[in-house]
Every structure is written in C-alpha cells, then in structure tokens.
Amino acid sequence: MGIVPLAKALELAQEYDLDLVEVAANARPPVCKLMDYGKFKYESAMKAREARKNQAHTVIKEMKLRPKIDPHDYDTKKGHVVRFLKQGDKVKITIMFRGREQSRPELGYRLLQRLAEDVQDLGFVESNPKQDGRNMIMVLGPHKKKTEAMAEARQAQEARKADAKANPGRSQNAAESDADDDAEVDVEAPAEEHAEA
C-alpha cells in the first residue's frame, strides 16, 4: 500500500477486521502488515511442532561384549546392534577385558572386525577399534540418517494401521496362522473307512 500515516493504517486494520503488525521496526519508515495475528501465531506454532516432529537427535547406543563370548550370546548382541543401526542410531561397541584377557587384545580386535563385517550392509566403521585401558572401543555409524529411519518406521506403522482397518477383528498373528493352516495338507483317510475294513 506504500507509505501510509499510522492513523490511516490503524483505520484500514479496523475496517478489514485485521491486526496491524510491525514486521521491520528498524527500517525507515517502519514496515507493517495487515494480518490476523492470532491465525499467524497458530500457524507458526504448528510449523514449529512439525519441525520438531521431523527433527532427529543423534543417539549413541552402547553394546558391551567380552572376548570369549558364546556364539548364541554374540548373535543376540548382534541383533541389538542391527536394530540400533536400522533405527538410525550410532552404536559404540565395547569389548571388556578381565585378568589375563588383557594380554590378548587381538581376540577383541578380531571380534570387532567380525561384528563390523556382519553388519556392513546397515552400517560402517566410524571409529576404528582402539584400546582404552581395560576396554577396546569401536563406533559404528548407520548408512541411513535418523530422519530417513523415522520416516520408514512411520510409513510401516501407517501401513499396519491401514491393514488393520481393511481386516477388522483380525490380528497379524491370526492372519499368519491361517496362512500356515492353509498350507498344510490333510493326508490321513477318514476314521470311518478304517473301522469298516
């Protein structure tokens, strides 16, 4: 509207039932806008909330192992590392040495290398193994960012909800068990035929 005296600007705001909001106070002359200030505050709060929802803070998860770990325990711990990497988190792997184990750091190094190879499709070695007193530490970073992992998880959750709406009253476990029952074939002959023979 160009340069307008303050009184006229206030009149215009009242006429259109809007608020006169100062946008740039330091400008000469100051710049103002006619707007619904309540609606503006609400929209900016909603944008901030959306930004916070999509924002992801990096978390470093820690997994502790021993050099003489049992194969089953190793698989369990590896499963946790895989889950953390899929969620987009970094994982700090710590090998704890006790007593005479400290004289064999190569055992810990080999274990860390094995773990890094097992999860190389999900993550990469961000910090190579290094000895730190009684511990050996390595950090794994995920290939995909936390925001991507969160978006994928949200999509999977929405897909599950849509599937639940499409098949109300049926859980996923029930659907899987029905599929397994359909796959089985009844090979036995009816009991009546055996009785007559």
Side-chain angles (χ1 to χ4, degrees), residues 36-151:
D36 186 350
Y37 189 64
K39 183 178 176 184
F40 170 74
K41 278 186 72 172
Y42 173 76
E43 287 174 352
S44 60
M46 292 304 288
K47 283 180 189 172
R49 187 182 298 165
E50 278 296 316
R52 273 198 308 275
K53 190 163 75 171
N54 294 331
Q55 186 179 22
H57 54 283
T58 304
V59 178
I60 297 183
K61 305 280 189 175
E62 184 169 9
M63 188 58 53
K64 294 188 175 184
L65 307 170
R66 300 290 312 281
K68 297 178 181 175
I69 191 168
D70 186 66
H72 180 265
D73 293 338
Y74 171 80
D75 291 338
T76 303
K77 299 274 188 175
K78 183 181 81 171
H80 293 312
V81 171
V82 165
R83 188 180 79 229
F84 295 147
L85 290 173
K86 280 184 180 176
Q87 292 172 351
D89 295 321
K90 291 183 181 181
V91 185
K92 176 181 172 186
I93 314 292
T94 305
I95 304 283
M96 301 176 296
F97 295 99
R98 278 196 314 203
R100 294 180 185 172
E101 292 173 348
Q102 292 178 52
S103 63
R104 303 283 309 274
E106 67 275 2
L107 292 175
Y109 185 80
R110 269 191 251 136
L111 184 62
L112 289 174
Q113 291 300 324
R114 177 178 157 203
L115 182 62
E117 287 173 15
D118 288 347
V119 298
Q120 68 183 355
D121 55 332
L122 295 170
F124 61 96
V125 177
E126 194 170 280
S127 169
N128 286 321
K130 53 181 173 262
Q131 190 81 26
D132 180 24
R134 290 177 166 213
N135 299 329
M136 185 175 280
I137 296 168
M138 175 178 78
V139 178
L140 296 172
H143 286 309
K144 59 183 169 189
K145 294 181 181 172
K146 180 84 172 175
T147 50
E148 294 171 12
M150 286 171 58

